[in-house]
Amino acid sequence: MFRDYLARRVLMMVPTLLGLSLLIFLLSRVMPGDPILLALGPEARPEQVEQLRREMGLDRPLHVQYLRYLQGVLRGDFGRSLRTHRPVAQDLRDFLPATVELTSVAMLFAILIGVPLGVTAAVRRDGMVDHLSRWVALSGVAMPQFWLAILLQLVFGYYLRQLPLIGRGSIVPARITGLYLVDSLVTGDLAAFWNSLRHLVLPAFTLSLATAAQIMRMTRAGMVGQMRRDYVLAARSYGLPYNLVVYRYMLKNAITSTLTIIGLTYGFLLGNCFVVETVFAWPGIAAYGAHAVIYKDFNAVVAVTLVVGVAYAIVNLAIDVLYGFLDPRVRYAPE
Amino acid sequence: MRRMVVLFVAIALATAGLGCTRSAEPARTEQPVILTFVNTVPVPAIDPALVTDEAGYIAVVNLYDPLLFPAVEEGLMDPAPHLATEWTVSADGRVYRFTLREGVKFHSGRELTAEDVVFSMDRVLSLKKGPAWMWLPVLSPGSTRAVDPYTVEFHLKEPYAPFLATLIHLFVVDAELIRANLGAGDFGDLGDYGQGFLSANDAGSGPYVLEKWDREGDLVANRFADYWKGWRQGQVDRFVYRTVREEATVKMLIKGGEADLVGQWLSVETYNELAATPGLKVAEDPTVQLFHLPMNTAKPPLDCIYFRLALVHALDYTTANTEIFPGAVQARGPVPIKAAGHNSDLAPFRYDMAKAREYLAKSKYRPGEYVIQYHFTDVIPAQRKLGLLLQSSLAELGIKMEINPTPWVRLTELCAKPETTPHIGAFYYTLRYPHPHSHTFAMYHPSAHGSWIAMSWYNNPGVTRVLEEAVKEVDTERQMQLYKQAQAMIAGDAPSIYVNNPVHRIAHAEYVKGYRYVGLIGYDLAVYYLTVDKQ
């Protein structure tokens, strides 16, 4: 049963991604401006324009371009970047791990901040922690990321000089996955691990705050809803310890809506953390994608969108699976 | 849950603790001279046959040697001997023969010879990217020949006045190294012509050797010990080009001592703040860049010279160049004042509303007959302010002007056809090589039509004739006279409102010595000519 459920979810990803690829491919072709003229510069001669158009396959009909592109994507070939002059797949290989690492650590921060605060706020409703968490949530959502980023840089990087202002790290571990924390741990390079961690703290915290606020509010709301349920009353009347009831039973039931937020936000952050990547000079895929749009680097635009789309789909698949794991009604319900 | 909280607190404490001690940083025994240059624009390519922008050229200028080099040490932009020590030009102006310096070594250790120059030029012409546009009109693969290991000849299809000046863009690559690292591609035996290899490696003979390049992050290059010019005390051992796009972060880096030099793309306010910071200096120079408002001479009412002259006299240049572009020098014609071949006899345009009314009365169009469309790049606030300034003057004349912020890609697309080109645009155009051809022929000869550089769609057969004569003129003195004559004729026809040559600003620590503004793309940051004196 669970295998069928999983297979259905995976199969549903295929038309979604195909539709996304077609949509973004067409959009990238109708964006204003000639990418070839932009890439070659204003003085380009007609023979230059013609050769590059041919090299990029833009001299072919649109449907042929799309089919060739799809064939390439299946082989892991996303075409060449007009801006970096090399295969987009290579660019993704360099930039994607940086964003995955940043987003993952930010999400970890958000969960570590949001869930405990949400639970505590629910358990001690209208108490000090509840008011404080409400204030933190409001600030986290309201504060513009670029402002918070610069503020943190000023305090911890410029005045206190406790954490690095920019970059991913001055000690680069031997590449295995491209995730510095993972690679440094696998290779036992502790200096690189601490160096990477220190570089991650400010950008990851900046990125995490708004998500932490959402997680906190969702957890609180879910927990408050559970408090009035009969099973809680029964568990308490049997004399089970309060913390056991809260964390073992109530949280498991309350966390599903929070999981939705985590899944959606993780996918969203992958493609939208360009403000944080820009301020902290973090060499990630979001900033790469944003600049690809500005320069009309169409192969890069399509590739970044597809990769983010795939990541989004995978994360949401994982969340769906987790739903099924946490709540048997989901995996057994007839569709 | 308690365990998770403890883990989080432990990580936070450990991180903060490391921040205090910085014990993870390796201890140094020797202190090499490191220069960290922070720019808001990343290096997009380091292949000399592909680069088109300033960031790419900064990398290339430091990793490679060009055939000729601007006279940087004298603060001039004229092409001077470098890899080529001397040259002769045939009487018909079609054959250029260069004698190469002996003993120049590539980073691979191999000696640079004429074959490498031939390979480098043929590679640019075959790839048809980067600087190829400068030579494609007069050269094709096979037109460059090695006479002997230290003599190379260029056989031009026809005389080409700016040819010597363009050779500051011919960076010589190590042909053998590239042949040994060819990838699959469309160039027959030459595969991809080394594009794959040069997208991540250098094959040059320049003063610095590439150590690493993180694309959107750092480019690090170290001193090449066998550099043919030798090394002096205080020169830079290690050059770091760091990309930081956020201006506030750039400011913190240079004020906090983590950057030694920052690029030219910050706001005037930031430069003023940095200039007031102890230990920092801001170098200000008038650029060899033209900022102008080209007018579409193919579209009514701007196809009437009197209407254009009315507009030229309606702009308050003093306000523009003090309030909107502080420190800018008012332009005198199309060629920037500091550029080679500028016609210094040209008078700047004047703000004179009486004169504007006079010209308007002579025009075949009535002031309110057309609504003038002004398009500017939407991310440049100064161009909007200039539009507002012009708009207010034109309103006094009864001319209505609409201001349209336009994305750059859209603006360049609009300029491809005369009917879609706006009435007025706002553009910067930087000198590409030290020759007036760049700001005359490339902007006002009909062969340039269709590019935003030539958005005025100017077509004066008299000027075209003079420009065509100038480009073929072998006698340098006569050639310059012709270019000056063309500038005077063009300015008289007023196809553009020549606003200014803006100020170039760059901030650096006081201990960085030897910085000189050259104005030619990338050459300002020829790190070999800088020294660091922290004593």
Side-chain angles (χ1 to χ4, degrees):
Chain A
M1 273 306 244
F2 187 70
R3 210 166 42 200
D4 290 348
Y5 168 75
L6 188 63
R8 263 201 314 275
R9 286 285 177 272
V10 172
L11 278 176
M12 278 168 64
M13 278 172 63
V14 177
T16 309
L17 292 176
L18 212 57
L20 176 70
S21 73
L22 181 62
L23 186 70
I24 194 65
F25 184 87
L26 291 176
L27 279 177
S28 73
R29 289 330 194 247
V30 298
M31 286 195 306
D34 185 339
I36 300 298
L37 289 178
L38 278 174
L40 288 173
E43 297 94 347
R45 299 180 61 78
E47 60 263 43
Q48 290 179 266
V49 175
E50 192 193 331
Q51 177 165 313
L52 188 54
R53 222 180 272 289
R54 207 171 43 241
E55 272 178 34
M56 302 299 289
L58 294 175
D59 55 338
R60 294 163 188 272
L62 207 57
H63 67 278
V64 178
Q65 287 182 40
Y66 177 65
L67 290 176
R68 282 166 63 98
Y69 189 81
L70 266 191
Q71 283 172 355
V73 168
L74 292 175
R75 292 194 311 269
D77 175 9
F78 292 89
R80 282 190 92 80
S81 160
L82 282 169
R83 195 165 62 93
T84 65
H85 303 282
R86 65 175 187 163
V88 172
Q90 260 182 21
D91 287 342
L92 294 181
R93 181 182 167 275
D94 284 357
F95 301 133
L96 184 61
T99 300
V100 170
E101 187 166 56
L102 173 64
T103 313
S104 303
V105 174
M107 194 49 77
L108 183 71
F109 279 7
I111 294 169
L112 290 176
I113 297 166
V115 173
L117 269 179
V119 171
T120 314
V123 171
R124 299 182 186 170
R125 246 182 314 168
D126 296 326
M128 187 69 169
V129 178
D130 192 20
H131 292 310
L132 186 73
S133 72
R134 195 173 293 131
W135 181 82
V136 169
L138 201 66
S139 314
V141 174
M143 255 191 290
Q145 266 182 353
F146 74 90
W147 183 80
L148 177 66
I150 292 171
L151 197 73
L152 289 172
Q153 275 183 327
L154 264 175
V155 175
F156 293 101
Y158 184 69
Y159 289 117
L160 298 178
R161 296 193 171 249
Q162 294 301 303
L163 290 165
L165 277 169
I166 55 159
R168 258 191 106 183
S170 48
I171 307 173
V172 180
R175 186 183 171 110
I176 300 169
T177 61
L179 308 170
Y180 283 9
L181 290 181
V182 175
D183 292 352
S184 54
L185 279 180
V186 171
T187 54
D189 188 348
L190 282 183
F193 178 81
W194 291 122
N195 185 272
S196 305
L197 191 62
R198 290 186 57 232
H199 281 82
L200 260 166
V201 171
L202 292 185
F205 180 74
T206 309
L207 202 58
S208 72
L209 203 59
T211 310
Q214 292 176 50
I215 289 176
M216 191 191 305
R217 298 307 292 168
M218 291 303 286
T219 308
R220 183 189 178 278
M223 290 293 287
V224 168
Q226 294 297 321
M227 277 176 169
R228 302 190 189 102
R229 308 293 283 269
D230 292 343
Y231 76 90
V232 176
L233 191 64
R236 295 297 309 275
S237 61
Y238 282 130
L240 287 180
Y242 187 58
N243 278 350
L244 184 71
V245 175
V246 168
Y247 289 107
R248 183 78 185 268
Y249 300 108
M250 286 167 60
L251 184 58
K252 192 177 170 187
N253 288 323
I255 204 79
T256 45
S257 52
T258 308
L259 278 181
T260 311
I261 286 290
I262 291 172
L264 288 174
T265 314
Y266 189 80
F268 176 80
L269 288 183
L270 273 177
N272 289 279
C273 57
F274 60 87
V275 170
V276 171
E277 287 191 352
T278 300
V279 175
F280 289 99
W282 191 267
I285 198 174
Y288 171 75
H291 291 97
V293 173
I294 294 168
Y295 291 100
K296 220 192 161 210
D297 188 356
F298 60 94
N299 280 338
V301 172
V302 178
V304 169
T305 314
L306 269 182
V307 167
V308 171
V310 170
Y312 204 85
I314 290 174
V315 170
N316 280 283
L317 174 74
I319 297 292
D320 278 352
V321 172
L322 212 54
Y323 281 154
F325 178 72
L326 288 173
D327 187 350
R329 289 172 303 175
V330 173
R331 60 179 186 265
Y332 295 125
E335 294 201 4
Chain B
M1 183 53 63
R2 189 175 298 153
R3 259 179 288 174
M4 281 206 305
V5 173
V6 170
L7 176 69
F8 177 65
V9 171
I11 290 174
L13 287 176
T15 311
L18 281 163
C20 294
T21 58
R22 298 190 176 201
S23 58
E25 306 292 336
R28 299 197 68 95
T29 48
E30 288 174 28
Q31 290 294 325
V33 179
I34 301 173
L35 183 94
T36 303
F37 170 64
V38 173
N39 205 6
T40 48
V41 184
V43 175
I46 55 169
D47 182 340
L50 301 182
V51 291
T52 51
D53 72 334
E54 189 212 25
Y57 268 106
I58 289 173
V60 166
V61 161
N62 288 293
L63 300 173
Y64 292 85
D65 276 318
L67 200 59
L68 302 177
F69 202 96
V72 173
E73 281 165 304
E74 289 84 46
L76 300 171
M77 61 173 67
D78 303 322
H82 195 67
L83 286 182
T85 52
E86 53 191 72
W87 56 87
T88 56
V89 186
S90 66
D92 63 359
R94 292 178 54 212
V95 181
Y96 286 71
R97 174 181 277 228
F98 292 86
T99 305
L100 298 182
R101 190 178 298 280
E102 295 183 27
V104 174
K105 284 192 175 164
F106 283 115
H107 300 158
S108 63
R110 199 176 68 79
E111 191 180 4
L112 184 150
T113 66
E115 287 294 346
D116 297 296
V117 179
V118 173
F119 182 88
S120 303
M121 179 54 99
D122 284 354
R123 185 170 180 269
V124 173
L125 294 169
S126 302
L127 294 181
K128 292 192 173 72
K129 290 173 187 158
W133 59 271
M134 296 179 203
W135 302 307
L136 281 169
V138 289
L139 289 173
S140 49
S143 315
T144 311
R145 295 167 202 166
V147 178
D148 62 50
Y150 301 109
T151 310
V152 66
E153 276 183 0
F154 297 88
H155 292 255
L156 277 56
K157 288 173 195 154
E158 55 191 17
Y160 185 49
F163 184 66
L164 268 183
T166 62
L167 291 178
I168 62 163
H169 290 275
L170 179 59
F171 293 89
V172 180
V173 297
D174 185 338
E176 270 189 26
L177 185 63
I178 290 179
R179 283 202 182 96
N181 290 282
L182 296 173
D186 304 329
F187 297 95
D189 293 345
L190 291 162
D192 68 345
Y193 234 130
Q195 288 181 84
F197 179 69
L198 290 189
S199 72
N201 302 281
D202 91 73
S205 59
Y208 292 92
V209 185
L210 183 70
E211 180 190 308
K212 68 161 193 162
W213 178 33
D214 297 339
R215 306 279 162 172
E216 302 278 319
D218 287 359
L219 181 147
V220 182
N222 296 306
R223 170 191 283 214
F224 176 42
D226 289 338
Y227 188 53
W228 62 271
K229 286 190 94 169
W231 293 96
R232 302 182 312 276
Q233 182 72 25
Q235 282 182 290
V236 175
D237 294 309
R238 191 173 167 82
F239 167 53
V240 180
Y241 181 113
R242 183 159 290 162
T243 306
V244 180
R245 294 180 194 271
E246 173 54 42
E247 184 161 333
T249 313
V250 174
K251 206 160 62 176
M252 279 185 249
L253 286 170
I254 189 157
K255 287 175 84 174
E258 291 185 49
D260 305 305
L261 235 139
V262 295
Q264 59 162 324
W265 304 110
L266 308 179
S267 65
V268 179
E269 293 76 19
T270 295
Y271 286 113
N272 289 342
E273 186 183 330
L274 295 179
T277 306
L280 296 181
K281 275 178 82 169
V282 173
E284 292 191 346
D285 298 275
T287 53
V288 283
Q289 187 180 50
L290 172 70
F291 175 64
H292 66 139
L293 308 180
M295 294 181 273
N296 184 352
T297 61
K299 205 175 200 176
L302 297 176
D303 55 349
C304 170
I305 184 173
Y306 295 116
F307 206 96
R308 294 200 300 273
L309 284 168
L311 264 58
V312 158
H313 286 87
L315 181 67
D316 181 351
Y317 296 93
T318 309
T319 304
N321 296 326
T322 51
E323 303 300 324
I324 302 173
F325 298 90
V329 177
Q330 190 179 340
R332 292 171 171 235
V335 177
I337 291 167
K338 279 191 74 175
H342 166 71
N343 184 347
S344 52
D345 295 335
L346 285 181
F349 289 153
R350 275 185 309 119
Y351 174 49
D352 185 341
M353 291 299 277
K355 203 88 179 160
R357 283 192 185 88
E358 204 177 294
Y359 281 121
L360 208 52
K362 287 184 184 172
S363 169
K364 59 183 174 183
Y365 299 107
R366 293 186 309 280
E369 202 172 337
Y370 289 89
V371 177
I372 304 294
Q373 300 295 333
Y374 169 88
H375 285 243
F376 72 99
T377 312
D378 53 359
V379 292
I380 307 180
Q383 293 185 357
R384 177 191 289 276
K385 289 181 195 166
L386 193 77
L388 290 168
L389 183 68
L390 183 61
Q391 188 185 47
S392 65
S393 294
L394 294 188
E396 284 180 42
L397 297 174
I399 300 171
K400 193 174 175 208
M401 185 175 98
E402 284 180 0
I403 296 176
N404 306 284
T406 313
W408 173 249
V409 286
R410 177 71 183 140
L411 191 52
T412 57
E413 191 178 49
L414 287 174
C415 295
K417 292 177 189 162
E419 57 274 20
T420 55
T421 301
H423 287 112
I424 304 179
F427 288 101
Y428 294 95
Y429 188 47
T430 305
L431 197 70
R432 297 297 198 250
Y433 41 77
H435 196 278
H437 185 86
S438 167
H439 275 61
T440 50
F441 200 101
M443 291 169 74
Y444 298 111
H445 189 273
S447 63
H449 287 169
S451 163
W452 60 264
I453 303 174
M455 79 145 268
S456 53
W457 296 92
Y458 178 72
N459 190 353
N460 177 340
V463 172
T464 304
R465 211 167 31 249
V466 173
L467 286 173
E468 285 171 356
E469 194 184 334
V471 77
K472 288 183 179 149
E473 179 57 58
V474 179
D475 179 64
T476 315
E477 208 170 310
R478 166 87 182 129
Q479 188 191 98
M480 287 299 155
Q481 274 176 3
L482 287 167
Y483 277 111
K484 286 180 180 176
Q485 183 187 342
Q487 288 169 59
M489 291 168 81
I490 294 165
D493 282 343
S496 284
I497 302 176
Y498 301 112
V499 183
N500 60 43
N501 302 150
V503 176
H504 178 275
R505 295 180 177 87
I506 196 163
H508 60 86
E510 275 178 355
Y511 53 73
V512 176
K513 312 280 186 197
Y515 172 78
R516 284 193 191 93
Y517 173 72
V518 183
L520 293 168
I521 193 160
Y523 281 98
D524 296 325
L525 263 297
V527 177
Y528 180 82
Y529 299 94
L530 303 177
T531 54
V532 172
D533 181 10
K534 289 191 178 177
Q535 299 306 312

